[in-house]
Amino acid sequence: MEKITFEQVKEAVYHEKMANGLQVYLLPKQGFSKTYAVFTTNYGAIDNNFVPIGETEFTKVPDGIAHFLEHKMFEKEDGDVFFKFGEKGAFTNAFTSFTKTAYLFSSTSRVEENLETLIDFVQEPYFTEETVEKEKGIIGQEIRMYDDDPDFRAYFGVIENMYHNHPVKIDIAGTVESIAEINKDLLYLCYNTFYHPSNMVLFVVGNLEPEQMMNQIRANQAKKEFAEAAPIKRHFPEEPKTVAVKERKIHFPVQIAKNLVGIKEDIGSLEGQAALKQEIIGDVALEMLFGTTSDTYLKLYNEGIIDDTFGYDYTLQDSFSFVLVGGDAKDPDKQTAKIKEAIQAAAKSGLDEADLALVKRKRIGQFLRSLNSPEFIANQFSQYVMKSASLFDILPLMENVTLEEVNSFVKNLDQEERTTSFQLLPEQ
């Protein structure tokens, strides 16, 4: 077990790679009453075309299967795992994103038992045709529920506009039609390929004793057998640099229109610290441009073009990245025009050095405060480990962001052929 010290944030993480390839990280936090553990696999909704473990040819699986698999993991032959955690006073949950699936628990007592339950239920799948069929109805209801959510519809609507072929354009839960094709054999195929320990990270943070907990995890893993680890081959279709649809408007039962401008990035695949640095630069640039204290935000707010739902988001992954800006709008066309004008003006004249210093101080303060949250630390650390980066590198990278880097990011946004808008308009 190695101890990795991060002097600047005064944290020390204990790390060990198990013989089966599982990466384990433990972060002792003296004084914390709660322990939080998250068990994450590098497998998400976009991984629908891959070479299954032990095979040589690519296989396409139904959309939504990663999310479906997450649901099914909680059901075992002897009952629902939720009840096991509940009996031991723990809260448990799971989530599936475009690129990751994570299972978690938090508790203030019986941590050793709850950790054993977490590891075992994720590493012991149990699927039957009967339970898979039953789950289709449950997830089908979830899909229809999200279809009625205007924020969700706007989010996926603008992503659909941006991408021609990439599976990021597909709802994480799939569709009622796609999940109808899922069976237990396909679930085992995905599980055996992507839930191999060598594709997973276990992170635990709380008032723990590292050697004692690592011994528990070593003993747990030593009792189990897994196939030999092999690199996972994923396939993503060719994706044009331009957006698929320039503009789209649909009518929806909303009181006020929702408007999102999407900008598809063209920066290629970034890994490790390069990806983390790009993410930080993008966040700083967008905060300077559209944050609640920016000139643009205050001007548009005072003119009634935006309200407090207005915001931005920057998503950066290996095979895709994009920026979203927008919110509720009385005049969505005008809001779109003003967003584009703000980007064009900043790209032409550049952003201000004093504003950069202000935003960096704000972001550094927010980051340091977030380190008081075990959930934030565990989830973010696990995500960055899978990108070959470290959560605790954010602070030095943030401090060193330059105005030149921020202005370069903004110039890269000013590309009409990579910009789209999606609007949900009130029904007439």
Side-chain angles (χ1 to χ4, degrees):
M1 181 169 67
E2 63 171 333
K3 180 180 180 181
I4 308 169
T5 303
F6 300 90
E7 293 290 350
Q8 197 170 11
V9 292
K10 296 180 173 55
E11 300 285 5
V13 176
Y14 294 81
H15 167 247
E16 183 166 318
K17 183 178 180 180
M18 300 285 135
N20 57 28
L22 175 64
Q23 303 275 0
V24 180
Y25 294 86
L26 307 177
L27 174 56
K29 294 284 270 186
Q30 303 304 320
F32 274 44
S33 57
K34 181 167 69 177
T35 296
Y36 182 91
V38 59
F39 201 5
T40 308
T41 174
N42 190 14
Y43 169 53
I46 65 171
D47 298 311
N48 60 5
N49 197 344
F50 58 91
V51 178
I53 192 167
E55 300 183 18
T56 56
E57 302 296 324
F58 278 93
T59 294
K60 179 80 166 60
V61 293
D63 297 330
I65 196 167
H67 172 259
F68 198 105
L69 183 50
E70 173 221 307
H71 269 237
K72 287 306 304 163
M73 290 301 297
F74 283 91
E75 191 169 322
K76 303 300 179 189
E77 190 170 12
D78 59 350
D80 196 314
V81 177
F82 276 99
F83 293 113
K84 290 186 178 180
F85 279 110
E87 288 170 353
K88 302 183 185 76
F91 168 80
T92 186
N93 208 339
F95 61 86
T96 304
S97 69
F98 288 123
T99 57
K100 306 287 183 295
T101 307
Y103 302 84
L104 59 94
F105 82 84
S106 62
S107 68
T108 55
S109 62
R110 305 177 73 174
V111 171
E112 185 176 331
E113 295 170 72
N114 286 318
L115 181 60
E116 203 77 359
T117 300
L118 175 70
I119 299 171
D120 287 347
F121 101 78
V122 174
Q123 291 190 324
E124 295 170 1
Y126 174 73
F127 312 130
T128 68
E129 291 295 3
E130 183 183 3
T131 58
V132 169
E133 288 304 313
K134 179 183 171 187
E135 197 69 29
K136 289 177 183 177
I138 297 169
I139 296 180
Q141 288 180 342
E142 183 180 334
I143 291 170
R144 284 187 280 271
M145 181 183 71
Y146 278 111
D147 283 345
D148 290 338
D149 184 307
D151 290 314
F152 182 84
R153 288 292 298 272
Y155 179 73
F156 271 98
V158 74
I159 295 175
E160 287 169 6
N161 277 12
M162 282 189 280
Y163 288 89
H164 298 253
N165 307 314
H166 196 286
V168 68
K169 65 185 288 185
I170 301 165
D171 184 337
I172 286 172
T175 64
V176 172
E177 291 74 23
S178 69
I179 65 170
E181 301 171 21
I182 294 173
N183 56 45
K184 75 175 177 63
D185 293 334
L186 287 173
L187 290 179
Y188 277 117
L189 186 78
C190 294
Y191 179 88
N192 291 331
T193 300
F194 292 105
Y195 282 66
H196 190 281
S198 62
N199 194 47
M200 302 189 71
V201 171
L202 174 63
F203 190 99
V204 188
V205 55
N207 192 5
L208 57 88
E209 201 292 303
E211 191 59 51
Q212 181 182 335
M213 183 167 282
M214 197 65 85
N215 279 336
Q216 178 193 348
I217 297 167
R218 290 184 192 116
N220 179 289
Q221 294 301 283
K223 291 184 293 187
K224 300 171 182 174
E225 292 185 2
F226 298 91
E228 188 175 345
I232 298 172
K233 295 179 181 175
R234 298 167 164 91
H235 173 72
F236 298 110
E238 285 290 323
E239 177 64 34
K241 294 179 180 178
T242 57
V243 294
V245 179
K246 283 295 298 175
E247 179 184 280
R248 191 155 54 108
K249 303 176 182 181
I250 65 172
H251 289 279
F252 203 75
V254 290
Q255 294 296 318
I256 185 167
K258 289 189 177 294
N259 178 55
L260 280 178
V261 173
I263 304 166
K264 192 176 173 183
E265 278 204 307
D266 177 25
I267 57 172
S269 179
L270 298 176
E271 294 182 349
Q273 285 227 342
L276 181 57
K277 182 72 181 288
Q278 175 70 10
E279 202 171 288
I280 293 168
I281 292 168
D283 176 67
V284 169
L286 291 167
E287 179 65 19
M288 292 172 71
L289 256 177
F290 297 114
T292 53
T293 57
S294 67
D295 292 342
T296 300
Y297 185 98
L298 296 172
K299 182 173 186 294
L300 298 184
Y301 190 91
N302 289 333
E303 292 174 355
I305 295 170
I306 65 172
D307 60 18
D308 54 12
T309 65
F310 185 81
Y312 62 83
D313 179 63
Y314 181 38
T315 297
L316 173 67
Q317 296 293 342
D318 287 348
S319 60
F320 63 92
S321 62
F322 56 81
V323 167
L324 302 182
V325 186
D328 290 356
K330 293 176 183 174
D331 186 340
D333 288 337
K334 191 171 186 179
Q335 187 184 92
T336 293
K338 293 294 183 182
I339 290 169
K340 290 181 179 179
E341 284 175 19
I343 292 172
Q344 288 163 359
K348 185 178 178 181
S349 60
L351 294 169
D352 185 75
E353 186 79 52
D355 289 345
L356 172 62
L358 190 67
V359 167
K360 283 166 64 173
R361 284 199 298 275
K362 178 181 176 183
R363 282 293 191 248
I364 288 169
Q366 290 172 335
F367 175 73
L368 292 174
R369 285 194 295 278
S370 68
L371 296 184
N372 292 327
S373 164
E375 290 88 349
F376 173 84
I377 295 172
N379 292 330
Q380 295 300 309
F381 194 99
S382 299
Q383 301 285 322
Y384 285 121
V385 161
M386 289 183 169
K387 293 180 179 180
S388 301
S390 170
L391 170 69
F392 299 123
D393 286 337
I394 286 179
L395 192 54
L397 289 173
M398 179 78 74
E399 289 174 338
N400 291 317
V401 170
T402 67
L403 190 62
E404 183 181 5
E405 291 169 330
V406 169
N407 283 332
S408 175
F409 180 90
V410 174
K411 282 182 181 176
N412 193 41
L413 296 182
D414 185 22
Q415 303 291 334
E416 187 62 29
E417 72 276 11
R418 290 194 277 106
T419 302
T420 183
S421 68
F422 181 82
Q423 297 172 5
L424 285 182
L425 305 175
E427 293 176 325
Q428 297 175 333

